[in-house]
Protein backbone atom coordinates (compact mmCIF):
# COMPACT_ATOMS: atom_id res chain seq x y z
CA UNK A 1 0.00 0.00 0.00
CA UNK A 2 1.46 3.35 -0.99
CA UNK A 3 1.71 6.30 1.37
CA UNK A 4 -1.05 8.05 -0.57
CA UNK A 5 -3.41 5.17 0.17
CA UNK A 6 -2.64 5.02 3.88
CA UNK A 7 -5.60 7.11 5.00
CA UNK A 8 -7.90 6.93 1.95
CA UNK A 9 -9.59 9.92 0.34
CA UNK A 10 -11.75 11.05 -2.57
CA UNK A 11 -12.05 14.60 -3.90
CA UNK A 12 -13.79 16.13 -6.87
CA UNK A 13 -14.45 19.71 -8.04
CA UNK A 14 -16.70 20.80 -10.92
CA UNK A 15 -17.39 24.01 -12.78
CA UNK A 16 -20.93 25.23 -13.36
CA UNK A 17 -22.55 28.42 -14.63
CA UNK A 18 -20.93 31.19 -12.56
CA UNK A 19 -20.58 28.70 -9.72
CA UNK A 20 -18.43 25.80 -8.64
CA UNK A 21 -18.89 22.71 -6.49
CA UNK A 22 -16.26 20.83 -4.50
CA UNK A 23 -16.94 17.53 -2.74
CA UNK A 24 -15.03 15.02 -0.64
CA UNK A 25 -15.64 11.76 1.21
CA UNK A 26 -15.63 11.61 5.01
CA UNK A 27 -13.64 8.48 5.85
CA UNK A 28 -10.41 8.52 7.77
CA UNK A 29 -8.72 5.14 8.01
CA UNK A 30 -5.43 3.54 8.93
CA UNK A 31 -4.99 1.15 6.02
CA UNK A 32 -8.01 -1.14 6.25
CA UNK A 33 -9.28 -0.02 9.66
CA UNK A 34 -11.77 2.85 9.72
CA UNK A 35 -10.98 5.39 12.42
CA UNK A 36 -13.45 8.21 11.73
CA UNK A 37 -16.47 8.82 9.52
CA UNK A 38 -16.56 12.61 9.74
CA UNK A 39 -13.11 13.73 8.64
CA UNK A 40 -12.91 17.15 7.03
CA UNK A 41 -10.88 17.40 3.84
CA UNK A 42 -12.23 20.61 2.31
CA UNK A 43 -11.32 23.90 3.90
CA UNK A 44 -12.46 27.48 3.29
CA UNK A 45 -9.71 29.94 2.52
CA UNK A 46 -12.13 32.80 1.97
CA UNK A 47 -15.76 33.11 0.90
CA UNK A 48 -14.97 32.45 -2.74
CA UNK A 49 -12.07 30.03 -2.43
CA UNK A 50 -12.03 26.49 -1.12
CA UNK A 51 -9.21 23.98 -1.04
CA UNK A 52 -9.59 20.22 -0.76
CA UNK A 53 -6.59 18.09 0.18
CA UNK A 54 -6.34 14.35 -0.44
CA UNK A 55 -3.62 11.94 0.62
CA UNK A 56 -1.91 11.53 3.97
CA UNK A 57 -4.19 13.01 6.64
CA UNK A 58 -1.44 14.51 8.77
CA UNK A 59 -0.09 16.39 5.74
CA UNK A 60 -3.65 17.47 4.84
CA UNK A 61 -3.99 19.17 8.22
CA UNK A 62 -0.47 20.63 8.33
CA UNK A 63 -0.65 21.94 4.79
CA UNK A 64 -4.03 23.56 5.43
CA UNK A 65 -2.65 25.27 8.57
CA UNK A 66 0.35 26.61 6.62
CA UNK A 67 -1.84 27.85 3.76
CA UNK A 68 -4.36 29.50 6.07
CA UNK A 69 -1.46 31.26 7.79
CA UNK A 70 -0.05 32.53 4.48
CA UNK A 71 -3.43 33.74 3.30
CA UNK A 72 -4.15 35.58 6.55
CA UNK A 73 -0.80 37.38 6.26
CA UNK A 74 -1.66 38.29 2.65
CA UNK A 75 -5.03 39.63 3.83
CA UNK A 76 -3.33 41.79 6.46
CA UNK A 77 -0.79 43.19 4.02
CA UNK A 78 -2.94 43.61 0.90
CA UNK A 79 -6.28 44.27 2.68
CA UNK A 80 -8.09 42.00 0.23
CA UNK A 81 -8.63 38.32 -0.51
CA UNK A 82 -6.30 36.33 -2.75
CA UNK A 83 -7.43 35.53 -6.27
CA UNK A 84 -7.78 31.79 -6.94
CA UNK A 85 -5.03 31.84 -9.60
CA UNK A 86 -2.64 33.53 -7.19
CA UNK A 87 -3.49 31.06 -4.45
CA UNK A 88 -2.86 28.18 -6.82
CA UNK A 89 0.62 29.51 -7.50
CA UNK A 90 1.17 29.85 -3.75
CA UNK A 91 0.18 26.22 -3.13
CA UNK A 92 2.36 25.08 -6.01
CA UNK A 93 5.38 26.99 -4.67
CA UNK A 94 4.84 25.70 -1.13
CA UNK A 95 4.73 22.12 -2.37
CA UNK A 96 7.80 22.49 -4.59
CA UNK A 97 9.82 23.87 -1.66
CA UNK A 98 9.66 20.31 -0.34
CA UNK A 99 10.74 18.80 -3.65
CA UNK A 100 13.00 16.16 -2.07
CA UNK A 101 10.85 15.38 0.97
CA UNK A 102 7.32 16.24 -0.16
CA UNK A 103 3.99 16.60 1.55
CA UNK A 104 2.03 13.48 0.56
CA UNK A 105 -1.00 15.48 -0.53
CA UNK A 106 -2.79 16.17 -3.77
CA UNK A 107 -4.70 19.44 -3.52
CA UNK A 108 -7.84 20.39 -5.40
CA UNK A 109 -8.63 24.10 -5.57
CA UNK A 110 -11.95 25.66 -6.44
CA UNK A 111 -12.78 29.35 -6.44
CA UNK A 112 -14.55 32.25 -8.11
CA UNK A 113 -12.29 34.82 -9.72
CA UNK A 114 -13.05 38.32 -10.98
CA UNK A 115 -16.61 38.66 -12.29
CA UNK A 116 -17.44 35.35 -10.60
CA UNK A 117 -15.67 33.30 -13.26
CA UNK A 118 -15.25 29.82 -11.72
CA UNK A 119 -11.71 28.46 -11.40
CA UNK A 120 -10.65 24.91 -10.58
CA UNK A 121 -7.28 23.24 -10.60
CA UNK A 122 -5.46 20.26 -9.14
CA UNK A 123 -1.82 19.53 -8.39
CA UNK A 124 0.36 16.54 -7.72
CA UNK A 125 2.33 16.29 -4.50
CA UNK A 126 5.21 18.30 -5.97
CA UNK A 127 3.11 21.23 -7.14
CA UNK A 128 2.58 20.52 -10.83
CA UNK A 129 -0.55 22.53 -11.64
CA UNK A 130 -3.26 21.17 -13.88
CA UNK A 131 -5.97 23.66 -14.85
CA UNK A 132 -9.22 22.28 -16.17
CA UNK A 133 -12.37 23.79 -17.57
CA UNK A 134 -14.77 21.06 -16.46
CA UNK A 135 -13.76 18.94 -13.47
CA UNK A 136 -10.77 17.78 -11.45
CA UNK A 137 -10.43 14.71 -9.23
CA UNK A 138 -7.98 13.43 -6.63
CA UNK A 139 -7.56 10.64 -4.09
CA UNK A 140 -7.69 6.84 -3.92
CA UNK A 141 -10.96 6.77 -5.87
CA UNK A 142 -9.63 9.04 -8.60
CA UNK A 143 -9.90 6.52 -11.44
CA UNK A 144 -13.56 5.79 -10.68
CA UNK A 145 -14.14 9.52 -10.27
CA UNK A 146 -12.71 10.28 -13.71
CA UNK A 147 -15.13 7.80 -15.25
CA UNK A 148 -18.13 9.03 -13.29
CA UNK A 149 -17.43 12.71 -13.97
CA UNK A 150 -16.72 12.16 -17.66
CA UNK A 151 -20.11 10.52 -18.15
CA UNK A 152 -22.19 12.70 -15.81
CA UNK A 153 -20.74 16.15 -16.48
CA UNK A 154 -22.17 18.75 -18.78
CA UNK A 155 -21.13 22.40 -19.06
CA UNK A 156 -23.02 25.41 -17.66
CA UNK A 157 -25.05 23.63 -15.02
CA UNK A 158 -27.02 25.68 -12.50
CA UNK A 159 -26.08 25.24 -8.80
CA UNK A 160 -28.89 22.79 -7.97
CA UNK A 161 -28.11 20.51 -10.90
CA UNK A 162 -24.37 20.82 -10.25
CA UNK A 163 -24.95 19.70 -6.65
CA UNK A 164 -26.85 16.60 -7.81
CA UNK A 165 -24.25 15.73 -10.43
CA UNK A 166 -21.23 16.09 -8.19
CA UNK A 167 -22.91 14.16 -5.36
CA UNK A 168 -23.87 11.24 -7.59
CA UNK A 169 -20.41 11.15 -9.18
CA UNK A 170 -18.77 11.09 -5.75
CA UNK A 171 -21.08 8.49 -4.20
CA UNK A 172 -20.94 6.05 -7.09
CA UNK A 173 -17.13 6.27 -7.26
CA UNK A 174 -16.44 5.81 -3.55
CA UNK A 175 -18.76 2.80 -3.52
CA UNK A 176 -16.18 0.99 -5.62
CA UNK A 177 -13.29 1.99 -3.37
CA UNK A 178 -12.76 0.36 0.03
CA UNK A 179 -10.59 3.17 1.32
CA UNK A 180 -12.98 6.07 0.83
CA UNK A 181 -16.65 6.56 1.57
CA UNK A 182 -18.86 6.97 4.63
CA UNK A 183 -20.79 9.86 3.11
CA UNK A 184 -19.66 13.11 1.56
CA UNK A 185 -19.22 16.83 2.14
CA UNK A 186 -20.34 19.02 -0.77
CA UNK A 187 -19.76 22.77 -1.05
CA UNK A 188 -21.53 24.71 -3.80
CA UNK A 189 -20.61 28.37 -4.28
CA UNK B 1 25.14 -46.91 9.16
CA UNK B 2 23.20 -48.14 6.18
CA UNK B 3 20.84 -45.47 4.88
CA UNK B 4 17.27 -46.44 4.06
CA UNK B 5 16.88 -45.37 0.45
CA UNK B 6 13.54 -47.07 -0.15
CA UNK B 7 11.87 -43.67 -0.57
CA UNK B 8 14.02 -42.91 -3.59
CA UNK B 9 12.88 -45.94 -5.52
CA UNK B 10 10.93 -45.25 -8.66
CA UNK B 11 7.62 -47.02 -9.13
CA UNK B 12 8.06 -47.32 -12.92
CA UNK B 13 9.25 -50.73 -14.15
CA UNK B 14 12.58 -50.59 -16.01
CA UNK B 15 11.11 -51.77 -19.30
CA UNK B 16 7.57 -50.40 -19.55
CA UNK B 17 5.33 -52.48 -21.82
CA UNK B 18 3.07 -50.20 -23.89
CA UNK B 19 -0.41 -51.21 -22.86
CA UNK B 20 -3.26 -49.27 -24.47
CA UNK B 21 -5.89 -50.62 -22.08
CA UNK B 22 -4.42 -49.02 -18.96
CA UNK B 23 -1.75 -46.53 -19.94
CA UNK B 24 -1.57 -44.94 -16.49
CA UNK B 25 -0.66 -48.11 -14.66
CA UNK B 26 2.94 -48.26 -15.81
CA UNK B 27 3.63 -44.51 -16.08
CA UNK B 28 5.19 -42.88 -12.99
CA UNK B 29 2.99 -40.28 -11.27
CA UNK B 30 3.55 -36.88 -12.89
CA UNK B 31 1.95 -33.44 -13.05
CA UNK B 32 2.42 -30.58 -15.49
CA UNK B 33 4.75 -27.76 -14.56
CA UNK B 34 4.17 -24.26 -15.95
CA UNK B 35 6.48 -23.30 -18.78
CA UNK B 36 8.61 -20.71 -17.05
CA UNK B 37 12.30 -19.88 -16.99
CA UNK B 38 12.17 -19.18 -13.24
CA UNK B 39 9.83 -21.69 -11.54
CA UNK B 40 10.67 -20.58 -7.99
CA UNK B 41 9.92 -16.97 -8.87
CA UNK B 42 6.66 -18.05 -10.50
CA UNK B 43 5.61 -19.92 -7.35
CA UNK B 44 6.50 -16.94 -5.19
CA UNK B 45 4.48 -14.56 -7.42
CA UNK B 46 1.49 -16.90 -7.32
CA UNK B 47 1.51 -16.92 -3.52
CA UNK B 48 1.90 -13.13 -3.38
CA UNK B 49 -1.06 -12.74 -5.73
CA UNK B 50 -3.51 -14.58 -3.46
CA UNK B 51 -2.23 -13.07 -0.22
CA UNK B 52 -4.46 -9.94 -0.34
CA UNK B 53 -7.48 -12.06 -1.33
CA UNK B 54 -8.45 -12.62 2.29
CA UNK B 55 -10.33 -9.36 2.67
CA UNK B 56 -13.48 -10.59 4.28
CA UNK B 57 -15.21 -11.45 7.54
CA UNK B 58 -16.62 -14.89 8.29
CA UNK B 59 -17.60 -16.46 11.55
CA UNK B 60 -19.18 -19.60 12.94
CA UNK B 61 -20.07 -20.82 16.40
CA UNK B 62 -21.69 -23.77 18.12
CA UNK B 63 -24.52 -23.24 20.55
CA UNK B 64 -27.33 -25.23 22.16
CA UNK B 65 -29.46 -25.48 19.04
CA UNK B 66 -26.69 -26.28 16.57
CA UNK B 67 -24.25 -24.21 14.52
CA UNK B 68 -24.59 -20.62 13.33
CA UNK B 69 -22.58 -19.44 10.34
CA UNK B 70 -22.35 -15.91 9.00
CA UNK B 71 -20.29 -14.09 6.40
CA UNK B 72 -20.12 -10.79 4.55
CA UNK B 73 -20.53 -10.91 0.78
CA UNK B 74 -16.86 -10.25 0.03
CA UNK B 75 -16.27 -13.72 1.44
CA UNK B 76 -14.34 -16.94 0.95
CA UNK B 77 -14.97 -19.43 3.72
CA UNK B 78 -12.14 -20.56 5.96
CA UNK B 79 -14.22 -22.68 8.36
CA UNK B 80 -15.59 -26.14 7.70
CA UNK B 81 -18.57 -27.48 9.59
CA UNK B 82 -18.62 -31.17 10.48
CA UNK B 83 -21.71 -32.52 12.31
CA UNK B 84 -22.09 -30.84 15.70
CA UNK B 85 -18.44 -29.92 15.57
CA UNK B 86 -16.71 -26.94 14.10
CA UNK B 87 -13.31 -27.00 12.48
CA UNK B 88 -11.14 -24.13 11.32
CA UNK B 89 -9.01 -25.07 8.31
CA UNK B 90 -6.55 -22.79 6.54
CA UNK B 91 -4.61 -22.84 3.29
CA UNK B 92 -1.36 -23.54 5.12
CA UNK B 93 -2.64 -26.86 6.48
CA UNK B 94 -3.69 -25.72 9.95
CA UNK B 95 -6.70 -27.47 11.48
CA UNK B 96 -8.34 -26.59 14.79
CA UNK B 97 -11.48 -27.85 16.54
CA UNK B 98 -13.44 -25.30 18.55
CA UNK B 99 -16.70 -23.64 19.44
CA UNK B 100 -16.17 -20.11 18.06
CA UNK B 101 -14.14 -19.01 15.09
CA UNK B 102 -13.88 -15.96 12.90
CA UNK B 103 -11.68 -15.70 9.82
CA UNK B 104 -10.62 -12.86 7.56
CA UNK B 105 -9.35 -9.31 7.71
CA UNK B 106 -12.44 -8.24 9.67
CA UNK B 107 -12.18 -11.10 12.18
CA UNK B 108 -10.73 -9.10 15.11
CA UNK B 109 -13.77 -6.85 15.05
CA UNK B 110 -16.17 -9.78 14.73
CA UNK B 111 -14.45 -11.60 17.62
CA UNK B 112 -14.97 -8.57 19.85
CA UNK B 113 -18.72 -8.64 19.42
CA UNK B 114 -18.99 -12.44 19.25
CA UNK B 115 -16.99 -13.12 22.41
CA UNK B 116 -18.86 -10.46 24.35
CA UNK B 117 -22.36 -11.66 23.49
CA UNK B 118 -21.78 -15.42 23.35
CA UNK B 119 -23.67 -17.83 25.59
CA UNK B 120 -24.13 -21.54 24.95
CA UNK B 121 -27.85 -21.34 25.84
CA UNK B 122 -29.15 -19.04 23.16
CA UNK B 123 -32.23 -19.40 21.04
CA UNK B 124 -31.83 -19.52 17.27
CA UNK B 125 -33.05 -15.93 16.91
CA UNK B 126 -30.59 -14.66 19.54
CA UNK B 127 -27.72 -16.54 17.95
CA UNK B 128 -28.62 -15.22 14.49
CA UNK B 129 -28.80 -11.67 15.79
CA UNK B 130 -25.39 -12.09 17.47
CA UNK B 131 -23.87 -13.40 14.23
CA UNK B 132 -25.46 -10.58 12.21
CA UNK B 133 -24.26 -7.90 14.60
CA UNK B 134 -20.73 -9.30 14.66
CA UNK B 135 -20.52 -9.23 10.86
CA UNK B 136 -22.05 -5.73 10.75
CA UNK B 137 -19.49 -4.37 13.21
CA UNK B 138 -16.67 -5.95 11.24
CA UNK B 139 -17.91 -4.38 7.99
CA UNK B 140 -18.07 -0.99 9.74
CA UNK B 141 -14.43 -0.98 10.82
CA UNK B 142 -12.81 -3.10 8.12
CA UNK B 143 -12.63 -1.49 4.68
CA UNK B 144 -12.18 -4.88 3.02
CA UNK B 145 -15.45 -6.27 4.35
CA UNK B 146 -18.92 -5.17 3.39
CA UNK B 147 -21.98 -5.73 1.24
CA UNK B 148 -24.50 -8.26 2.55
CA UNK B 149 -24.41 -10.08 5.89
CA UNK B 150 -25.65 -13.64 5.22
CA UNK B 151 -26.60 -15.79 8.20
CA UNK B 152 -27.07 -19.56 7.98
CA UNK B 153 -28.27 -22.00 10.61
CA UNK B 154 -27.05 -25.62 10.62
CA UNK B 155 -29.19 -27.94 12.71
CA UNK B 156 -30.02 -31.64 13.00
CA UNK B 157 -32.11 -31.52 9.83
CA UNK B 158 -29.62 -29.61 7.67
CA UNK B 159 -28.81 -25.96 6.83
CA UNK B 160 -31.13 -23.04 6.33
CA UNK B 161 -30.44 -19.50 5.27
CA UNK B 162 -31.91 -17.18 7.88
CA UNK B 163 -31.18 -13.71 6.52
CA UNK B 164 -29.22 -11.67 4.02
CA UNK B 165 -29.21 -8.02 5.00
CA UNK B 166 -27.35 -5.17 3.36
CA UNK B 167 -24.95 -3.85 6.01
CA UNK B 168 -25.79 -0.26 5.04
CA UNK B 169 -29.41 -0.94 6.04
CA UNK B 170 -28.27 -2.69 9.25
CA UNK B 171 -26.35 0.46 10.18
CA UNK B 172 -29.47 2.60 10.28
CA UNK B 173 -31.44 -0.16 11.96
CA UNK B 174 -28.96 -0.38 14.84
CA UNK B 175 -28.21 3.34 14.97
CA UNK B 176 -31.28 5.23 13.78
CA UNK B 177 -30.76 8.88 12.88
CA UNK B 178 -32.82 11.31 14.94
CA UNK B 179 -34.33 13.88 12.57
CA UNK B 180 -32.49 17.16 13.25
CA UNK B 181 -33.91 20.60 12.45
CA UNK B 182 -32.82 21.45 8.91
CA UNK B 183 -30.63 24.54 8.57
CA UNK B 184 -30.85 24.88 4.82
CA UNK B 185 -33.04 23.03 2.40
CA UNK B 186 -32.58 22.60 -1.31
CA UNK B 187 -35.73 23.57 -3.15
CA UNK B 188 -37.25 21.19 -5.68
CA UNK B 189 -36.17 21.70 -9.29
CA UNK B 190 -39.18 22.81 -11.28
CA UNK B 191 -39.66 20.61 -14.36
CA UNK B 192 -38.07 22.39 -17.33
Amino acid sequence: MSIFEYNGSALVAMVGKNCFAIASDRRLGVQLQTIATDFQRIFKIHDKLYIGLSGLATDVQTLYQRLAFRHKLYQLREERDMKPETFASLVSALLYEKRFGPYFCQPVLAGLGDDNVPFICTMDCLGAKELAKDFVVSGTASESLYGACESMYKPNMEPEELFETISQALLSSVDRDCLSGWGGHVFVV
Amino acid sequence: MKLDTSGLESFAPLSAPIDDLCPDLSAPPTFDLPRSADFDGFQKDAIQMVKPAKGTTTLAFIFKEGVMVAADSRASMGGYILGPGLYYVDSEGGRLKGTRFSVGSGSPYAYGVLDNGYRYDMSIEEAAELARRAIYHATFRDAASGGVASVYYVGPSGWKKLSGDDVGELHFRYYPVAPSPTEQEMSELSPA
Side-chain angles (χ1 to χ4, degrees), chain A residues 27 31-37 159-161 163 178-179 182, chain B residues 55 74 105 109 136 139-144 171 186-187 189:
Chain A
R27 179 182 180 269
Q31 295 189 320
L32 288 179
Q33 183 182 51
T34 303
I35 303 291
T37 55
E160 291 84 7
E161 207 194 339
F163 169 78
C178 305
L179 301 175
W182 287 108
Chain B
R74 299 181 199 178
S105 58
Y109 312 110
Y136 156 75
T139 60
F140 183 92
R141 284 291 176 181
D142 179 31
H171 174 77
M186 295 286 300
S187 50
L189 266 178

Side-chain angles (χ1 to χ4, degrees), chain B residues 15-28:
Chain B
S15 57
I18 299 156
D19 190 340
D20 286 323
L21 287 171
C22 41
D24 294 329
L25 209 62
S26 48

Side-chain angles (χ1 to χ4, degrees), chain A residues 107-122:
Chain A
V108 163
L109 267 78
L112 290 176
D114 299 326
D115 299 326
N116 284 344
V117 171
F119 170 88
I120 52 169
C121 91
T122 185

Side-chain angles (χ1 to χ4, degrees), chain A residues 11 54 59 90 98 101 157 167:
Chain A
L11 271 177
S54 71
D59 284 346
L90 170 66
K98 304 278 179 200
M157 279 188 276
S167 310

Side-chain angles (χ1 to χ4, degrees), chain A residues 2 5 9 12-13 16 18-19 39 41 48 50 54 56 73 77 95-97 107 116 124 138 143 170 175:
Chain A
S2 97
E5 292 162 21
S9 53
V12 56
N18 297 328
C19 64
F39 188 68
R41 268 191 191 93
K48 291 187 183 173
Y50 282 75
S54 71
L56 195 63
L73 265 185
R77 289 179 180 143
L95 290 172
Y96 196 78
E97 269 174 14
N116 284 344
D124 70 355
S138 174
E143 281 152 6
L170 180 75
D175 279 348

